[in-house]
Amino acid sequence: MKGSQAIIKSLTDEGVDVVFGYPGGVLLPLYDVIYDSDLKHILVRHEQCAAHAADGYARASGKVGVCIGTSGPGATNLVTGIATAYMDSAPIVALAGQVGTSLIGNDAFQEVDTIGITMPISKHSYQAMESSEIPQMIRSSFYIARTGRPGPVVVDLPKDVQEGELDYPENITIDLPGYKPTKKGHPLQVKKAAELILKSKKPVILAGGGVIHSNSSEELQHLSELIGAPVTTSLMGKGCFPEDNLLSLGMLGMHGRKSSNMMVDECDCLIAVGCRFSDRTTGDVNKFAPNAKIIHIDVDPAEIGKNVDVSVPIVGDAKIILSHLLRIMSQTNGPNNHDWTDYVRNFRASCMPRLSFDDMPLKPQQVIKEISEAVTDDTIVTTDVGQNQMWMAHYFTSRNPRKFLSSGGLGTMGFGFPAAMGAKVAMPDEDVVAVCGDGGFLMVCQDLATVKEYDIPVVVCVLDNRYLGMVFQWQKLFYDERISQTKLKAMPDFVKLAEAFGVNAYRVERPGEMKETLKNALNSGEPTLIDVMIDPDEILPMVPPGCGLTEIVGEYKVERENPNEIPYRPSAQETGGD
Amino acid sequence: MDEQRSHIISALVLHRPGVLQRVAGLFTRRGFNIDSITVGPSEQDGMARMTIISRGDDKILEQITKQLNKIIEVIKVRDLDAEGTVIRELCLIKTHATSERSRSEIIQYANIFRGRIVDAGPENLTLEITGTPEKIDALIDLLRGFGIKEISRTGPTAISRGSKTI
Ligand SMILES: Cc1ncc(C[n+]2csc(CCOP(=O)(O)OP(=O)(O)O)c2C)c(N)n1
């Protein structure tokens, strides 16, 4: 068969049924085969959206997402999406077209060194120089993308390699002598961790995206229950522990919740699972968890000791290690941490954020509260980057893994909407809501055409403050209110913009409207945009860069009436049936 | 705190195009120091051995080894301790040599350092020397007086002493 046919066969053999892509000259052989293949191809309107959509697909489903871009500009447009996936360990395979092998290196038309460009932002990359290499390469790419610490893999496919003939091998074995991710944790280390936990009086669990990747939410919850430890998460870990649990502290870090930042400061034992201690999570590392011995569980050995010194390092798959840890611990009486647990619960209640506001323009807290009330636990929400993201991280209550998707490591504006598109394609039965800032959404709004064409019924909520809100906030707090280039003076009418694409759109301005509008939009089963006019002056308390986690600036608005109030959300049973 | 030391890192890698770029790129991207890097085929088919000389404290070294290990084509990485390691570098030195006196002196120096004259012209001599980088530095210092026209060094390569292998 031809190289291009081998690409499609390799994809289908990997169980791929949908790809996000954009064609080009060097991809003509591949697209010619796509023309009569069963593979569903979604034509995005910008390659960056193809990569983000593949990423959203991967994060929502746990499967590998696939995106395609042509050589040169197609490949460079994929780059932001590949880097985003790399920073957040999302498994995607990016197929890039390349000029013919005889032209490589000649600065041929639309030639770019895709391998060179993507080397530092991908888990691995391949360039096929012979058609016969394709099956093995694609197979290995998927294997590398989804195993160990997941990540993006790039495959560069020159035009003549797509056209050449090959015999598709009957059996393909993975032969990667340098790649053997550790799964089981070292038993001695696990034992040490158990002993340390048993001795501790004030344990805290810090859960990151690794808990979600390894599907170990349940084990994590058992551990928390067993030892009475509160759980805080990184942005990537949001949803891996139910945030309405009285032991949930919310997100940690620069833009984290006070409850998390204070309890991590106090704890004597920090059990970090599948997180990488990014500077946004730790604040000044020298002031991070000053009283704690740290246990760090991670599948990537290089993450252990990279940013924070740890007492007990354990390399391996979080699910296997947590189960092992639970087996050891359940044979003991467990530590008696009742005092700590009570203390944490009370502290948590004392700083529950206030959510209800009647103000006009709308307060973001109120908007997020109404979003929470309009969706179910199974709804997948994505965020863009900026204040919208941090408001969601703070005020939106997540109860399940893979339901909160956000660009953490790279902080990519323009992620939210295409990621929602990918998530909806992956999980057509779940509602998908993207919460974006006006700046970030405008970067990718052309893909409204895609959701319309393929009838991908996501709901995009644009939190419209006419500012590059997060940067504006920093200028207000740290640059003497010198508002340099963050006011968005000319902006489109987002409702008209959506309508121009044939997408339904509504504007929300008053308290109470968001909930109804979002519910209706979700029920309509059609792609919808909701333009939400919010107060640009509302800011979120934060830890200034370079400070310790307790050195928070800005006033937390605290819910005093009903400290344990969480937005009401009907359970699955209540909504079931319709 | 931790002191900065020079480390000899030996890595067994798949002998494929782009591997050197991956390794060198890793050092640049992560801000690791790189003094020299040499690479050539190893005893095993399809595998090359790299010797990387790098400076850094223990923490940095740990990161270097761990990050190197993450590269799919890297099979094994070891930090060789200086005492238990044979380190050699090859250097070619072209000196200015017009008078009979300077020519015979240069030849004498070459002999003392167990180097060889590998090329001669009416106005120059080229010496080949292998040894530790320090020994090569010493010879270069001695030859400076004659007027060095060109130096080409390979950078050190290394192998552990005794029966140990990586
Ligand atoms: C591609 C990209 N460019 C620039 C930034 C820097 N940045 C971070 S947040 C932000 C403001 C985002 O504004 P908006 O999308 O309106 O969201 P808001 O903060 O108002 O919710 C900017 C410019 C970024 N994260 N990504």
PDB file of all heavy atoms in Angstrom, chain A residues 86 116 119-120 124-125 144 177-179 300-302 304-306 309, chain B residues 14 18 21-22 29-30 59 62-63 66-67 70-75:
ATOM      1  N   TYR A  86       2.443  19.631  26.005  1.00  0.00           N
ATOM      2  CA  TYR A  86       3.685  19.188  26.645  1.00  0.00           C
ATOM      3  C   TYR A  86       3.724  19.645  28.107  1.00  0.00           C
ATOM      4  O   TYR A  86       4.000  18.858  29.015  1.00  0.00           O
ATOM      5  CB  TYR A  86       4.873  19.768  25.884  1.00  0.00           C
ATOM      6  CG  TYR A  86       6.227  19.337  26.401  1.00  0.00           C
ATOM      7  CD1 TYR A  86       6.597  17.997  26.371  1.00  0.00           C
ATOM      8  CD2 TYR A  86       7.131  20.260  26.898  1.00  0.00           C
ATOM      9  CE1 TYR A  86       7.844  17.593  26.832  1.00  0.00           C
ATOM     10  CE2 TYR A  86       8.376  19.868  27.353  1.00  0.00           C
ATOM     11  CZ  TYR A  86       8.727  18.531  27.326  1.00  0.00           C
ATOM     12  OH  TYR A  86       9.952  18.131  27.787  1.00  0.00           O
ATOM     13  N   GLY A 116      13.252  20.123  14.496  1.00  0.00           N
ATOM     14  CA  GLY A 116      14.086  21.039  15.279  1.00  0.00           C
ATOM     15  C   GLY A 116      13.256  21.984  16.134  1.00  0.00           C
ATOM     16  O   GLY A 116      13.578  22.240  17.287  1.00  0.00           O
ATOM     17  N   MET A 119      11.397  19.911  18.985  1.00  0.00           N
ATOM     18  CA  MET A 119      12.192  19.057  19.875  1.00  0.00           C
ATOM     19  C   MET A 119      12.064  19.442  21.358  1.00  0.00           C
ATOM     20  O   MET A 119      11.816  18.582  22.196  1.00  0.00           O
ATOM     21  CB  MET A 119      13.647  19.109  19.436  1.00  0.00           C
ATOM     22  CG  MET A 119      14.393  17.836  19.677  1.00  0.00           C
ATOM     23  SD  MET A 119      16.021  17.958  18.932  1.00  0.00           S
ATOM     24  CE  MET A 119      15.833  16.899  17.514  1.00  0.00           C
ATOM     25  N   PRO A 120      12.206  20.734  21.679  1.00  0.00           N
ATOM     26  CA  PRO A 120      12.119  21.064  23.111  1.00  0.00           C
ATOM     27  C   PRO A 120      10.704  21.115  23.674  1.00  0.00           C
ATOM     28  O   PRO A 120      10.542  21.321  24.861  1.00  0.00           O
ATOM     29  CB  PRO A 120      12.780  22.455  23.191  1.00  0.00           C
ATOM     30  CG  PRO A 120      12.763  23.001  21.829  1.00  0.00           C
ATOM     31  CD  PRO A 120      12.568  21.884  20.852  1.00  0.00           C
ATOM     32  N   HIS A 124       8.560  13.340  22.254  1.00  0.00           N
ATOM     33  CA  HIS A 124       9.443  12.728  21.269  1.00  0.00           C
ATOM     34  C   HIS A 124       8.997  13.163  19.882  1.00  0.00           C
ATOM     35  O   HIS A 124       7.891  13.678  19.710  1.00  0.00           O
ATOM     36  CB  HIS A 124       9.396  11.203  21.378  1.00  0.00           C
ATOM     37  CG  HIS A 124      10.505  10.536  20.618  1.00  0.00           C
ATOM     38  ND1 HIS A 124      11.827  10.821  20.825  1.00  0.00           N
ATOM     39  CD2 HIS A 124      10.477   9.609  19.627  1.00  0.00           C
ATOM     40  CE1 HIS A 124      12.568  10.105  20.002  1.00  0.00           C
ATOM     41  NE2 HIS A 124      11.780   9.362  19.266  1.00  0.00           N
ATOM     42  N   SER A 125       9.868  12.965  18.904  1.00  0.00           N
ATOM     43  CA  SER A 125       9.465  13.286  17.534  1.00  0.00           C
ATOM     44  C   SER A 125      10.137  12.333  16.561  1.00  0.00           C
ATOM     45  O   SER A 125      11.216  11.801  16.836  1.00  0.00           O
ATOM     46  CB  SER A 125       9.838  14.731  17.203  1.00  0.00           C
ATOM     47  OG  SER A 125      11.175  14.992  17.565  1.00  0.00           O
ATOM     48  N   ILE A 144       4.317   6.068  23.087  1.00  0.00           N
ATOM     49  CA  ILE A 144       5.064   7.054  23.879  1.00  0.00           C
ATOM     50  C   ILE A 144       4.125   8.128  24.418  1.00  0.00           C
ATOM     51  O   ILE A 144       4.227   8.560  25.567  1.00  0.00           O
ATOM     52  CB  ILE A 144       6.194   7.675  23.021  1.00  0.00           C
ATOM     53  CG1 ILE A 144       7.257   6.627  22.708  1.00  0.00           C
ATOM     54  CG2 ILE A 144       6.827   8.875  23.732  1.00  0.00           C
ATOM     55  CD1 ILE A 144       8.285   7.071  21.677  1.00  0.00           C
ATOM     56  N   PRO A 177      14.422   0.613  23.368  1.00  0.00           N
ATOM     57  CA  PRO A 177      15.270   0.175  24.488  1.00  0.00           C
ATOM     58  C   PRO A 177      15.535   1.273  25.514  1.00  0.00           C
ATOM     59  O   PRO A 177      15.814   0.977  26.664  1.00  0.00           O
ATOM     60  CB  PRO A 177      16.572  -0.245  23.796  1.00  0.00           C
ATOM     61  CG  PRO A 177      16.533   0.350  22.431  1.00  0.00           C
ATOM     62  CD  PRO A 177      15.094   0.524  22.074  1.00  0.00           C
ATOM     63  N   GLY A 178      15.429   2.530  25.094  1.00  0.00           N
ATOM     64  CA  GLY A 178      15.729   3.622  26.027  1.00  0.00           C
ATOM     65  C   GLY A 178      14.501   4.136  26.746  1.00  0.00           C
ATOM     66  O   GLY A 178      14.564   5.144  27.429  1.00  0.00           O
ATOM     67  N   TYR A 179      13.369   3.464  26.558  1.00  0.00           N
ATOM     68  CA  TYR A 179      12.128   3.991  27.119  1.00  0.00           C
ATOM     69  C   TYR A 179      11.416   2.920  27.929  1.00  0.00           C
ATOM     70  O   TYR A 179      10.783   2.029  27.370  1.00  0.00           O
ATOM     71  CB  TYR A 179      11.241   4.487  25.982  1.00  0.00           C
ATOM     72  CG  TYR A 179       9.924   5.069  26.445  1.00  0.00           C
ATOM     73  CD1 TYR A 179       9.886   6.265  27.146  1.00  0.00           C
ATOM     74  CD2 TYR A 179       8.719   4.424  26.196  1.00  0.00           C
ATOM     75  CE1 TYR A 179       8.683   6.802  27.587  1.00  0.00           C
ATOM     76  CE2 TYR A 179       7.512   4.955  26.620  1.00  0.00           C
ATOM     77  CZ  TYR A 179       7.504   6.141  27.317  1.00  0.00           C
ATOM     78  OH  TYR A 179       6.317   6.663  27.738  1.00  0.00           O
ATOM     79  N   ASP A 300       7.421  10.657  36.652  1.00  0.00           N
ATOM     80  CA  ASP A 300       8.606  11.206  35.986  1.00  0.00           C
ATOM     81  C   ASP A 300       9.693  11.459  37.024  1.00  0.00           C
ATOM     82  O   ASP A 300       9.592  12.400  37.814  1.00  0.00           O
ATOM     83  CB  ASP A 300       8.216  12.516  35.286  1.00  0.00           C
ATOM     84  CG  ASP A 300       9.399  13.153  34.570  1.00  0.00           C
ATOM     85  OD1 ASP A 300      10.525  12.627  34.679  1.00  0.00           O
ATOM     86  OD2 ASP A 300       9.192  14.187  33.905  1.00  0.00           O
ATOM     87  N   PRO A 301      10.741  10.640  37.023  1.00  0.00           N
ATOM     88  CA  PRO A 301      11.779  10.802  38.057  1.00  0.00           C
ATOM     89  C   PRO A 301      12.386  12.204  38.045  1.00  0.00           C
ATOM     90  O   PRO A 301      12.808  12.704  39.096  1.00  0.00           O
ATOM     91  CB  PRO A 301      12.835   9.755  37.691  1.00  0.00           C
ATOM     92  CG  PRO A 301      12.439   9.162  36.396  1.00  0.00           C
ATOM     93  CD  PRO A 301      11.031   9.549  36.100  1.00  0.00           C
ATOM     94  N   ALA A 302      12.416  12.838  36.885  1.00  0.00           N
ATOM     95  CA  ALA A 302      13.055  14.155  36.797  1.00  0.00           C
ATOM     96  C   ALA A 302      12.252  15.228  37.529  1.00  0.00           C
ATOM     97  O   ALA A 302      12.768  16.301  37.821  1.00  0.00           O
ATOM     98  CB  ALA A 302      13.260  14.549  35.344  1.00  0.00           C
ATOM     99  N   ILE A 304      11.063  14.816  40.483  1.00  0.00           N
ATOM    100  CA  ILE A 304      11.305  14.680  41.919  1.00  0.00           C
ATOM    101  C   ILE A 304      12.621  15.360  42.271  1.00  0.00           C
ATOM    102  O   ILE A 304      13.663  15.021  41.736  1.00  0.00           O
ATOM    103  CB  ILE A 304      11.285  13.193  42.327  1.00  0.00           C
ATOM    104  CG1 ILE A 304       9.875  12.655  42.067  1.00  0.00           C
ATOM    105  CG2 ILE A 304      11.681  13.035  43.782  1.00  0.00           C
ATOM    106  CD1 ILE A 304       9.657  11.221  42.401  1.00  0.00           C
ATOM    107  N   GLY A 305      12.535  16.337  43.154  1.00  0.00           N
ATOM    108  CA  GLY A 305      13.727  17.086  43.536  1.00  0.00           C
ATOM    109  C   GLY A 305      14.060  18.207  42.574  1.00  0.00           C
ATOM    110  O   GLY A 305      15.051  18.894  42.753  1.00  0.00           O
ATOM    111  N   LYS A 306      13.266  18.400  41.518  1.00  0.00           N
ATOM    112  CA  LYS A 306      13.570  19.444  40.543  1.00  0.00           C
ATOM    113  C   LYS A 306      13.370  20.831  41.139  1.00  0.00           C
ATOM    114  O   LYS A 306      14.256  21.677  41.062  1.00  0.00           O
ATOM    115  CB  LYS A 306      12.704  19.291  39.290  1.00  0.00           C
ATOM    116  CG  LYS A 306      13.109  20.238  38.157  1.00  0.00           C
ATOM    117  CD  LYS A 306      12.222  20.095  36.926  1.00  0.00           C
ATOM    118  CE  LYS A 306      10.928  20.873  37.093  1.00  0.00           C
ATOM    119  NZ  LYS A 306      10.054  20.809  35.917  1.00  0.00           N
ATOM    120  N   ASP A 309      12.906  20.224  47.487  1.00  0.00           N
ATOM    121  CA  ASP A 309      13.603  19.070  48.067  1.00  0.00           C
ATOM    122  C   ASP A 309      12.598  18.181  48.790  1.00  0.00           C
ATOM    123  O   ASP A 309      11.728  18.686  49.495  1.00  0.00           O
ATOM    124  CB  ASP A 309      14.667  19.546  49.057  1.00  0.00           C
ATOM    125  CG  ASP A 309      15.804  20.251  48.328  1.00  0.00           C
ATOM    126  OD1 ASP A 309      16.062  19.885  47.166  1.00  0.00           O
ATOM    127  OD2 ASP A 309      16.407  21.170  48.906  1.00  0.00           O
TER     128      ASP A 309
ATOM    129  N   LEU B  14      21.231   5.703  21.184  1.00  0.00           N
ATOM    130  CA  LEU B  14      21.017   5.122  19.860  1.00  0.00           C
ATOM    131  C   LEU B  14      21.744   5.997  18.846  1.00  0.00           C
ATOM    132  O   LEU B  14      21.698   7.216  18.920  1.00  0.00           O
ATOM    133  CB  LEU B  14      19.519   5.074  19.521  1.00  0.00           C
ATOM    134  CG  LEU B  14      18.660   4.129  20.344  1.00  0.00           C
ATOM    135  CD1 LEU B  14      17.244   4.100  19.773  1.00  0.00           C
ATOM    136  CD2 LEU B  14      19.242   2.721  20.372  1.00  0.00           C
ATOM    137  N   GLY B  18      20.094  13.271  14.715  1.00  0.00           N
ATOM    138  CA  GLY B  18      19.284  14.110  15.604  1.00  0.00           C
ATOM    139  C   GLY B  18      19.527  13.878  17.092  1.00  0.00           C
ATOM    140  O   GLY B  18      19.099  14.671  17.909  1.00  0.00           O
ATOM    141  N   GLN B  21      21.660  16.528  18.617  1.00  0.00           N
ATOM    142  CA  GLN B  21      20.882  17.764  18.732  1.00  0.00           C
ATOM    143  C   GLN B  21      19.946  17.712  19.940  1.00  0.00           C
ATOM    144  O   GLN B  21      19.789  18.682  20.667  1.00  0.00           O
ATOM    145  CB  GLN B  21      20.065  17.975  17.453  1.00  0.00           C
ATOM    146  CG  GLN B  21      19.424  19.347  17.373  1.00  0.00           C
ATOM    147  CD  GLN B  21      18.450  19.462  16.199  1.00  0.00           C
ATOM    148  OE1 GLN B  21      18.367  18.575  15.356  1.00  0.00           O
ATOM    149  NE2 GLN B  21      17.709  20.552  16.159  1.00  0.00           N
ATOM    150  N   ARG B  22      19.334  16.560  20.141  1.00  0.00           N
ATOM    151  CA  ARG B  22      18.445  16.420  21.290  1.00  0.00           C
ATOM    152  C   ARG B  22      19.196  16.624  22.598  1.00  0.00           C
ATOM    153  O   ARG B  22      18.713  17.296  23.507  1.00  0.00           O
ATOM    154  CB  ARG B  22      17.835  15.019  21.316  1.00  0.00           C
ATOM    155  CG  ARG B  22      16.493  14.939  20.673  1.00  0.00           C
ATOM    156  CD  ARG B  22      15.924  13.541  20.807  1.00  0.00           C
ATOM    157  NE  ARG B  22      15.294  13.170  19.558  1.00  0.00           N
ATOM    158  CZ  ARG B  22      14.114  13.643  19.160  1.00  0.00           C
ATOM    159  NH1 ARG B  22      13.432  14.465  19.917  1.00  0.00           N
ATOM    160  NH2 ARG B  22      13.613  13.277  18.001  1.00  0.00           N
ATOM    161  N   ARG B  29      18.274  24.315  26.636  1.00  0.00           N
ATOM    162  CA  ARG B  29      16.942  24.666  27.082  1.00  0.00           C
ATOM    163  C   ARG B  29      16.841  24.722  28.595  1.00  0.00           C
ATOM    164  O   ARG B  29      16.152  25.557  29.154  1.00  0.00           O
ATOM    165  CB  ARG B  29      15.957  23.660  26.512  1.00  0.00           C
ATOM    166  CG  ARG B  29      14.745  23.407  27.362  1.00  0.00           C
ATOM    167  CD  ARG B  29      13.604  22.864  26.580  1.00  0.00           C
ATOM    168  NE  ARG B  29      12.831  21.889  27.323  1.00  0.00           N
ATOM    169  CZ  ARG B  29      12.080  22.179  28.369  1.00  0.00           C
ATOM    170  NH1 ARG B  29      12.027  23.399  28.821  1.00  0.00           N
ATOM    171  NH2 ARG B  29      11.397  21.236  28.989  1.00  0.00           N
ATOM    172  N   ARG B  30      17.536  23.794  29.259  1.00  0.00           N
ATOM    173  CA  ARG B  30      17.407  23.738  30.716  1.00  0.00           C
ATOM    174  C   ARG B  30      18.463  24.587  31.407  1.00  0.00           C
ATOM    175  O   ARG B  30      18.583  24.574  32.629  1.00  0.00           O
ATOM    176  CB  ARG B  30      17.515  22.293  31.196  1.00  0.00           C
ATOM    177  CG  ARG B  30      16.426  21.418  30.610  1.00  0.00           C
ATOM    178  CD  ARG B  30      15.591  20.762  31.683  1.00  0.00           C
ATOM    179  NE  ARG B  30      14.423  20.115  31.127  1.00  0.00           N
ATOM    180  CZ  ARG B  30      13.202  20.247  31.632  1.00  0.00           C
ATOM    181  NH1 ARG B  30      12.992  20.982  32.689  1.00  0.00           N
ATOM    182  NH2 ARG B  30      12.192  19.626  31.077  1.00  0.00           N
ATOM    183  N   LYS B  59      22.768  18.978  42.722  1.00  0.00           N
ATOM    184  CA  LYS B  59      21.370  19.049  42.328  1.00  0.00           C
ATOM    185  C   LYS B  59      21.249  19.169  40.804  1.00  0.00           C
ATOM    186  O   LYS B  59      20.413  18.520  40.172  1.00  0.00           O
ATOM    187  CB  LYS B  59      20.736  20.270  43.002  1.00  0.00           C
ATOM    188  CG  LYS B  59      19.263  20.113  43.179  1.00  0.00           C
ATOM    189  CD  LYS B  59      18.642  21.248  43.932  1.00  0.00           C
ATOM    190  CE  LYS B  59      17.207  21.278  43.454  1.00  0.00           C
ATOM    191  NZ  LYS B  59      16.255  21.813  44.303  1.00  0.00           N
ATOM    192  N   GLU B  62      22.058  15.927  39.158  1.00  0.00           N
ATOM    193  CA  GLU B  62      20.951  14.977  39.248  1.00  0.00           C
ATOM    194  C   GLU B  62      19.925  15.288  38.151  1.00  0.00           C
ATOM    195  O   GLU B  62      19.442  14.383  37.466  1.00  0.00           O
ATOM    196  CB  GLU B  62      20.308  15.103  40.636  1.00  0.00           C
ATOM    197  CG  GLU B  62      19.187  14.113  40.853  1.00  0.00           C
ATOM    198  CD  GLU B  62      18.488  14.334  42.190  1.00  0.00           C
ATOM    199  OE1 GLU B  62      19.146  14.780  43.158  1.00  0.00           O
ATOM    200  OE2 GLU B  62      17.275  14.065  42.255  1.00  0.00           O
ATOM    201  N   GLN B  63      19.624  16.561  37.984  1.00  0.00           N
ATOM    202  CA  GLN B  63      18.681  16.948  36.939  1.00  0.00           C
ATOM    203  C   GLN B  63      19.215  16.581  35.554  1.00  0.00           C
ATOM    204  O   GLN B  63      18.475  16.076  34.715  1.00  0.00           O
ATOM    205  CB  GLN B  63      18.428  18.459  36.991  1.00  0.00           C
ATOM    206  CG  GLN B  63      17.199  18.850  37.777  1.00  0.00           C
ATOM    207  CD  GLN B  63      15.924  18.231  37.219  1.00  0.00           C
ATOM    208  OE1 GLN B  63      15.577  18.421  36.064  1.00  0.00           O
ATOM    209  NE2 GLN B  63      15.231  17.463  38.038  1.00  0.00           N
ATOM    210  N   LYS B  66      18.801  12.885  35.058  1.00  0.00           N
ATOM    211  CA  LYS B  66      17.393  12.500  34.925  1.00  0.00           C
ATOM    212  C   LYS B  66      16.796  12.995  33.606  1.00  0.00           C
ATOM    213  O   LYS B  66      16.049  12.270  32.945  1.00  0.00           O
ATOM    214  CB  LYS B  66      16.587  13.074  36.089  1.00  0.00           C
ATOM    215  CG  LYS B  66      16.799  12.312  37.392  1.00  0.00           C
ATOM    216  CD  LYS B  66      16.048  12.992  38.504  1.00  0.00           C
ATOM    217  CE  LYS B  66      15.937  12.107  39.742  1.00  0.00           C
ATOM    218  NZ  LYS B  66      15.241  12.835  40.825  1.00  0.00           N
ATOM    219  N   GLN B  67      17.111  14.225  33.242  1.00  0.00           N
ATOM    220  CA  GLN B  67      16.540  14.752  32.000  1.00  0.00           C
ATOM    221  C   GLN B  67      17.120  14.011  30.800  1.00  0.00           C
ATOM    222  O   GLN B  67      16.398  13.740  29.836  1.00  0.00           O
ATOM    223  CB  GLN B  67      16.795  16.262  31.870  1.00  0.00           C
ATOM    224  CG  GLN B  67      16.095  17.113  32.926  1.00  0.00           C
ATOM    225  CD  GLN B  67      14.570  17.128  32.788  1.00  0.00           C
ATOM    226  OE1 GLN B  67      14.014  16.653  31.806  1.00  0.00           O
ATOM    227  NE2 GLN B  67      13.900  17.654  33.795  1.00  0.00           N
ATOM    228  N   LYS B  70      15.368  10.891  30.109  1.00  0.00           N
ATOM    229  CA  LYS B  70      14.027  11.013  29.530  1.00  0.00           C
ATOM    230  C   LYS B  70      14.056  11.005  28.007  1.00  0.00           C
ATOM    231  O   LYS B  70      13.039  10.772  27.367  1.00  0.00           O
ATOM    232  CB  LYS B  70      13.372  12.316  30.009  1.00  0.00           C
ATOM    233  CG  LYS B  70      12.758  12.184  31.382  1.00  0.00           C
ATOM    234  CD  LYS B  70      12.264  13.515  31.914  1.00  0.00           C
ATOM    235  CE  LYS B  70      11.056  14.032  31.178  1.00  0.00           C
ATOM    236  NZ  LYS B  70      10.466  15.194  31.895  1.00  0.00           N
ATOM    237  N   ILE B  71      15.217  11.314  27.424  1.00  0.00           N
ATOM    238  CA  ILE B  71      15.290  11.297  25.964  1.00  0.00           C
ATOM    239  C   ILE B  71      15.142   9.852  25.501  1.00  0.00           C
ATOM    240  O   ILE B  71      15.828   8.960  26.004  1.00  0.00           O
ATOM    241  CB  ILE B  71      16.627  11.906  25.482  1.00  0.00           C
ATOM    242  CG1 ILE B  71      16.695  13.379  25.913  1.00  0.00           C
ATOM    243  CG2 ILE B  71      16.785  11.765  23.975  1.00  0.00           C
ATOM    244  CD1 ILE B  71      17.991  14.076  25.546  1.00  0.00           C
ATOM    245  N   ILE B  72      14.227   9.648  24.589  1.00  0.00           N
ATOM    246  CA  ILE B  72      13.874   8.273  24.208  1.00  0.00           C
ATOM    247  C   ILE B  72      15.088   7.525  23.657  1.00  0.00           C
ATOM    248  O   ILE B  72      15.241   6.338  23.892  1.00  0.00           O
ATOM    249  CB  ILE B  72      12.741   8.297  23.158  1.00  0.00           C
ATOM    250  CG1 ILE B  72      11.552   9.128  23.661  1.00  0.00           C
ATOM    251  CG2 ILE B  72      12.332   6.898  22.732  1.00  0.00           C
ATOM    252  CD1 ILE B  72      10.550   8.473  24.517  1.00  0.00           C
ATOM    253  N   GLU B  73      15.976   8.200  22.935  1.00  0.00           N
ATOM    254  CA  GLU B  73      17.127   7.506  22.349  1.00  0.00           C
ATOM    255  C   GLU B  73      18.273   7.291  23.339  1.00  0.00           C
ATOM    256  O   GLU B  73      19.275   6.689  22.984  1.00  0.00           O
ATOM    257  CB  GLU B  73      17.686   8.280  21.163  1.00  0.00           C
ATOM    258  CG  GLU B  73      16.804   8.268  19.940  1.00  0.00           C
ATOM    259  CD  GLU B  73      16.115   9.596  19.739  1.00  0.00           C
ATOM    260  OE1 GLU B  73      15.965  10.336  20.732  1.00  0.00           O
ATOM    261  OE2 GLU B  73      15.717   9.891  18.600  1.00  0.00           O
ATOM    262  N   VAL B  74      18.164   7.828  24.521  1.00  0.00           N
ATOM    263  CA  VAL B  74      19.236   7.642  25.499  1.00  0.00           C
ATOM    264  C   VAL B  74      18.985   6.337  26.266  1.00  0.00           C
ATOM    265  O   VAL B  74      17.943   6.156  26.873  1.00  0.00           O
ATOM    266  CB  VAL B  74      19.319   8.838  26.469  1.00  0.00           C
ATOM    267  CG1 VAL B  74      20.287   8.554  27.607  1.00  0.00           C
ATOM    268  CG2 VAL B  74      19.732  10.097  25.714  1.00  0.00           C
ATOM    269  N   ILE B  75      19.974   5.440  26.197  1.00  0.00           N
ATOM    270  CA  ILE B  75      19.788   4.130  26.816  1.00  0.00           C
ATOM    271  C   ILE B  75      20.268   4.136  28.268  1.00  0.00           C
ATOM    272  O   ILE B  75      19.623   3.597  29.149  1.00  0.00           O
ATOM    273  CB  ILE B  75      20.583   3.044  26.044  1.00  0.00           C
ATOM    274  CG1 ILE B  75      20.316   3.161  24.541  1.00  0.00           C
ATOM    275  CG2 ILE B  75      20.279   1.643  26.558  1.00  0.00           C
ATOM    276  CD1 ILE B  75      18.961   2.741  24.097  1.00  0.00           C
TER     277      ILE B  75
END
